[in-house]
Amino acid sequence: MGILNVTPDSFSDGGLWLDPRAAVEHGLAMLAAGADLLDLGAESTRPGGGVYGPGAEEVPAARELERLLPVLRQLRAATDAPLSVDTRKAEVAEIALSEGADLINDVSALEDPGMAALVARRGCPVILMHSRGELATMQRGIGFADPAAEVAAELAEAAARAMAAGIAREAIILDPGIGFGKTAEHNLDLLRRLDELVGLGYPVVVGASRKSFLAAVVDAPPAGRLAGSLAAAAWAAHHGAALLRVHDVAETRQFLAVWGAIERAGAAA
Ligand code: HH2
């Protein structure tokens, strides 16, 4: 899943793809590099209270749509690849779906009261991502006794709420929310025990690309975290993740292809 942030303030690529033409080109380039789908985000969800200071600015729906729609429309016209929209707002999701988006990536796991009913009505897939608290302050006062177990339990509850609202089980994708209200140690432990989340039986998406927990292991700025991102991607892929949300599509593809080729080598001999 290639990340396409049409935002001025995303933590690693803010401002790079604000021009719709550049965004569309970048999206198509990620598909050409091997992405199976694109995740379009027009509101940064950079959590506040930690390494990112106050966190991302909250964006009104009208501004989010203004950034998103030109890119979504052009990409929809140019490709049949699935297009996901990263939004917490039912109002944005509804218009995005009517403009050809295929799935909704909701980092708040259906917090907007209109979102569950919308997704149920449209019958589209939805990513329910784990987070705790408000984006602006979630990196303060973090408290987990057992992050992997608690995240799995809270996501199971989110999935149950979604199904109670009429969303089909097959439409639900879960995400541990790497970096959202978690310390670096929590993020590492969530990856180490990813199989517990995979064990719930839903497809799992992991978004570790360029995130700050990587720099807690070996210090590097976001643009210098490719090697760490690949390690996290490979770990996640080999512990059951169905989808990887990444900035560096070609590199991730190559890394996983070689890993897989080594695993399969000799099997046919
Ligand atoms: N991470 C970010 C945004 N959306 N969605 C899912 N499902 N999983 C994630 O881990 C996730 C997400 C944050 O990363 P990024 O989009 O690169 O930055 P920003 O939120 O600052 O735009």
Side-chain angles (χ1 to χ4, degrees):
M1 178 184 229
I3 300 171
L4 187 54
N5 284 323
V6 204
T7 54
D9 55 346
S10 287
F11 78 95
S12 86
D13 58 356
L16 276 183
W17 320 112
L18 259 184
D19 168 23
R21 211 164 31 162
V24 170
E25 257 173 47
H26 181 54
L28 294 176
M30 287 193 285
L31 291 173
D36 292 318
L37 71 161
L38 299 177
D39 187 36
L40 281 62
E43 178 193 39
S44 171
T45 48
R46 188 163 35 92
V51 290
Y52 299 121
E57 171 213 353
E58 182 130 9
V59 179
R63 172 90 49 80
E64 208 177 318
L65 285 163
E66 214 174 277
R67 292 175 184 165
L68 178 71
L69 290 183
V71 180
L72 174 61
R73 286 182 182 136
Q74 287 181 57
L75 280 171
R76 185 68 300 158
T79 177
D80 290 333
L83 300 175
S84 153
V85 171
D86 186 344
T87 187
R88 301 180 286 155
K89 301 186 189 78
E91 185 185 344
V92 173
E94 176 143 38
I95 294 172
L97 289 168
S98 66
E99 293 282 347
D102 300 284
L103 64 147
I104 298 301
N105 173 21
D106 183 356
V107 302
S108 76
L110 309 177
E111 213 174 83
D112 182 331
M115 190 68 107
L118 169 70
V119 169
R121 197 165 65 242
R122 301 296 299 239
C124 65
V126 64
I127 298 173
L128 305 179
M129 196 199 77
H130 181 275
S131 70
R132 273 187 188 169
E134 295 295 316
L135 270 181
T137 53
M138 64 171 54
Q139 290 306 111
R140 276 202 295 267
I142 297 169
F144 282 101
D146 184 342
E150 289 168 44
V151 165
E154 287 168 32
L155 281 175
E157 280 167 25
R161 276 196 304 275
M163 287 186 281
I167 297 175
R169 186 184 168 96
E170 305 72 53
I172 297 172
I173 301 166
L174 301 182
D175 183 328
I178 299 293
F180 286 82
K182 286 129 192 151
T183 65
E185 192 55 38
H186 293 151
N187 293 315
L188 293 167
D189 196 44
L190 280 170
L191 286 168
R192 186 177 68 85
R193 292 168 60 190
L194 192 65
D195 51 344
E196 292 176 35
L197 182 55
V198 170
L200 294 179
Y202 300 88
V204 168
V205 53
V206 170
S209 185
R210 299 186 187 171
K211 285 191 175 163
S212 68
F213 80 101
L214 301 165
V217 181
V218 177
D219 193 27
R225 295 177 191 160
L226 174 60
S229 301
L230 293 175
W235 177 277
H238 287 270
H239 289 84
L243 284 165
L244 303 170
R245 186 179 176 278
V246 305
H247 298 89
D248 302 289
V249 171
E251 293 83 351
T252 308
R253 269 280 178 216
Q254 184 179 125
F255 195 98
L256 294 176
V258 172
W259 185 303
I262 294 169
E263 244 179 7
R264 289 188 305 273

